[in-house]
Each structure stands twice: as C-alpha cells, then as structure tokens.
Amino acid sequence: RGTYLNGPKTRMVVPGVPTNSQQPTSQINLQSVLTRVQCPFLMIPCDAVIRPPERIAYLADRRYAQIPVLNFLKRMNAGNENVILAHICAQGLPELDKQYAVDLFNAGVGRNVQNSRLFFSQLRVKDFAVCLDQVLNGMDADVLVCVNHHYHFQKLIPGNIGSSPSAEICIPVLVCPQ
C-alpha cells in the first residue's frame, strides 16, 4: 500500500473528496493516507469547478514557509500562474512588522526561489476564517497550498479530513508533506 504511493514514480496523489453536504464515497481514511505519503496530495472537492489555475495561494507564516514547497510550485507552474505566499501569523506568535516581513521575504525567498511570478501578501487579521475569505474572494485563489500538520493545515481542515474541507472551500487544496 504505502510502497506504491511512496514509489519513485509517484509525484502527486489526487483524490476527489466529498463536500460537507455529501456522504463520503470511500471507506479510506484520508488522514491516514496523508500522514504516510511523501508526495504532495491534491484534494479536489467533488463539486469543484476545475479550471487552469491563475492564482495559487500558499498559506504559511513567513517564518515557517518552506522553500521546497515554493520550488515545487515553481516547477508545477506552467508560466501563467501567480504564486502568492499568503502570510498568516501562526497562533501564539507575534505579528511581523510589515516592512520586516517584506524584507524577510525578499532576503529569504527571493534569494532561494527564482520565480518572477511569486508574490508576498501579509494578512494581518487574527480570525483565520476572515483571512481565508480574503484569500478565496479577495485574491480569488484557484488553489490553496498548505503543509501537512502545520498550523494553517489544522485551521483549513480541522478534524478528520475524511469528512472533507469546510463548505466555503470549493477549490482544490494541495497538501505538501512535512
């Protein structure tokens, strides 16, 4: 089971997941699979409208944003998509000063990820639901990206992911391994 998913030729796992209004179509525990896979896991809500992405939003606290994730998004990029590092301060941490956050982004990410379509957005709202609304409706994101078991993943998909992302998330969610 795990050998196939973690084989050298497996680059991504793409399951359809039911929305909250639908019954699960599979008896597979997606959380268990997600914990074991070592490749990105793209969850597509069954009722999502699939279109070529124009804006990919990586939800992370800038202090913990992972360069390998940004490089993966760059390699996945067909050339037309904007990748937005949406900085949402992790719970319990002090908010970064705006200029310091931009300098940290430019120095850390700009030096290690060569992508002219990579942008930084600092969301300073404490309520995660409001930040998510800004990403989905304000930035008009086509794909959400987070890292498995990090703060933003836990907020985005609380509880057992076998039950699906929350109803307001009607776009694909790419979960990268730790």
Side-chain angles (χ1 to χ4, degrees):
R1 297 173 193 159
T3 306
Y4 180 75
L5 285 178
N6 291 322
K9 293 184 181 180
T10 305
R11 307 280 175 152
M12 184 181 296
V13 176
V14 185
V17 293
T19 60
N20 283 336
S21 63
Q22 299 170 329
Q23 293 298 320
T25 57
S26 172
Q27 297 301 324
I28 297 173
N29 181 336
L30 290 179
Q31 183 66 58
S32 177
V33 172
L34 187 58
T35 300
R36 289 176 177 80
V37 296
Q38 297 171 4
C39 63
F41 192 89
L42 182 63
M43 296 187 303
I44 301 175
C46 289
D47 57 355
V49 176
I50 305 300
R51 62 181 188 251
E54 294 178 17
R55 285 166 295 285
I56 300 170
Y58 174 28
L59 307 177
D61 186 312
R62 170 53 201 106
R63 292 166 278 212
Y64 301 105
Q66 296 185 9
I67 299 298
V69 171
L70 291 165
N71 281 324
F72 174 80
L73 295 174
K74 178 186 170 206
R75 286 190 310 273
M76 192 175 92
N77 193 329
N80 301 326
E81 305 89 357
N82 291 325
V83 176
I84 304 161
L85 173 55
H87 167 79
I88 302 170
C89 187
Q91 186 174 2
L93 294 177
E95 185 59 70
L96 295 174
D97 174 70
K98 188 173 185 172
Q99 187 56 50
Y100 177 71
V102 171
D103 292 344
L104 187 62
F105 173 78
N106 290 335
V109 174
R111 188 173 19 152
N112 295 302
V113 179
Q114 301 302 315
N115 185 350
S116 63
R117 304 208 42 115
L118 176 63
F119 302 96
F120 178 74
S121 178
Q122 184 175 14
L123 304 174
R124 299 180 65 96
V125 179
K126 293 291 182 194
D127 185 352
F128 187 80
V130 173
C131 287
L132 188 58
D133 180 59
Q134 288 178 351
V135 171
L136 293 174
N137 299 312
M139 293 179 191
D140 203 22
D142 300 307
V143 177
L144 294 176
V145 179
C146 59
V147 175
N148 190 16
H149 295 300
H150 281 214
Y151 168 75
H152 300 88
F153 171 79
Q154 302 295 347
K155 290 298 226 173
L156 191 62
I157 305 171
N160 180 1
I161 68 167
S163 63
S164 80
S166 59
E168 62 269 2
I169 302 172
C170 56
I171 61 173
V173 176
L174 178 66
V175 181
C176 296
Q178 287 185 324

